[in-house]
Amino acid sequence: MNRLLLNCDIGESFGNWTLGLDAEVMPFIDCANIACGFHAGDPSIMRKTVSLALSHGVRIGAHPAYQDLAGFGRRSMAYGAQELQDLLHYQVGALDGICRAQGGRVSYVKPHGAMYNDMMANPAQLRAVIQAVAAYDRQLPLMLMATRDNSAAQALGDEYGLTLWFEAFADRAYDSAGHLVSRQLPGAVHHDPEIIIGQALTIARGDALTASDGSPLNLHANTLCVHGDNASSVAAVQRIRQALDGQNAP
């Protein structure tokens, strides 16, 4: 079994609008990907979420996105390389400042939504993201999608001296290249807790998943993304935590 870090997208409320069960999921995760205000979150939500993460000893990651509150950061937007780097520095810096005020620090970066998917599809955009993180702090790992072949992304990370954390998903279907099946297609998101837990353990063991076309797919991942936006998903996160800890026990 690989020692997978469990990460969760969190702090995605905004103003009086609440999304997710942050307090319920926080005790079971290793890494909190905290929204930085562009797709969700606001300064007060960021402060409260940072405080919650610090109280549970959870690593804090910046979760920057395109400037798209209305679309929850899930719509592709056209940014030049410098604009994209400015966007990342603005958001990472904002969260890092809130962390420092509470005695913490941002410890990694995970782009959100369309930015995350676009950088995986476009090598030039991935280079711009890697450059941005390396320029801000070369000690910060960048979290990005584990695919069938991580070698090209790894080579870019090595070029800039940046650590990459490859991420897999317990509750998403994959295509044959190891990319996530579009949410617009049926079966793209798993809802059955048994399927989610089974996929998490399969990834941790290094066994092959079944891609959407029926082919075997091996993902080499450092971290596993879980979601905690409803009671059932929180229960699934708890069971994944227990299963992984049990499998990794001496």
Side-chain angles (χ1 to χ4, degrees):
M1 295 283 290
N2 294 321
R3 178 61 176 92
L4 292 176
L5 297 171
L6 293 188
N7 79 80
C8 186
D9 299 345
I10 214 158
E12 293 184 320
S13 300
F14 182 79
N16 291 327
W17 179 67
T18 300
L19 177 68
L21 299 174
D22 293 358
E24 287 81 357
V25 76
M26 194 70 81
F28 306 111
I29 62 175
D30 301 295
C31 303
N33 318 317
I34 299 180
C36 300
F38 275 28
H39 77 282
D42 59 41
S44 294
I45 295 295
M46 291 162 71
R47 173 184 55 79
K48 293 172 185 176
T49 310
V50 165
S51 178
L52 182 64
L54 290 174
S55 71
H56 286 279
V58 172
R59 301 183 202 191
I60 294 169
H63 199 37
Y66 294 144
Q67 195 165 13
D68 182 28
L69 275 174
F72 199 67
R74 288 181 174 162
R75 300 180 292 191
S76 290
M77 306 180 80
Y79 287 95
Q82 187 59 62
E83 290 178 301
L84 185 62
Q85 291 178 41
D86 294 343
L87 204 71
L88 287 159
H89 290 159
Y90 186 96
Q91 293 176 79
V92 175
L95 182 64
D96 200 25
I98 289 173
C99 288
R100 285 172 180 251
Q102 298 189 54
R105 286 294 306 271
V106 165
S107 61
Y108 66 93
V109 177
K110 176 190 172 181
H112 164 81
M115 183 189 291
Y116 182 95
N117 291 326
D118 290 349
M119 75 181 192
M120 295 307 302
N122 183 344
Q125 182 155 335
L126 179 58
R127 179 181 290 275
V129 171
I130 287 174
Q131 285 178 317
V133 177
Y136 185 87
D137 184 347
R138 204 178 298 274
Q139 301 304 310
L140 295 182
L142 172 67
M143 194 179 292
L144 72 170
M145 190 187 304
T147 64
R148 183 179 290 279
D149 183 0
N150 298 332
S151 60
Q154 186 62 64
L156 268 179
D158 292 345
E159 183 179 339
Y160 290 92
L162 197 69
T163 298
L164 303 182
W165 286 354
F166 290 99
E167 174 185 41
F169 293 80
D171 62 352
R172 295 293 304 274
Y174 284 87
D175 65 19
S176 59
H179 292 281
L180 300 179
V181 172
S182 169
R183 287 178 179 269
Q184 298 179 9
L185 298 176
V189 180
H190 303 317
H191 298 287
D192 184 335
E194 299 305 321
I195 293 175
I196 294 170
I197 294 162
Q199 181 155 311
L201 292 175
T202 297
I203 294 167
R205 288 192 299 264
D207 294 341
L209 301 176
T210 301
S212 57
D213 66 351
S215 63
L217 173 67
N218 284 95
L219 297 175
H220 300 286
N222 310 107
T223 182
L224 185 74
C225 184
V226 293
H227 292 99
D229 53 0
N230 60 66
S232 295
S233 63
V234 172
V237 172
Q238 183 176 5
R239 289 180 60 191
I240 290 170
R241 172 89 280 160
Q242 292 169 341
L244 291 178
D245 287 350
Q247 292 281 357
N248 282 297

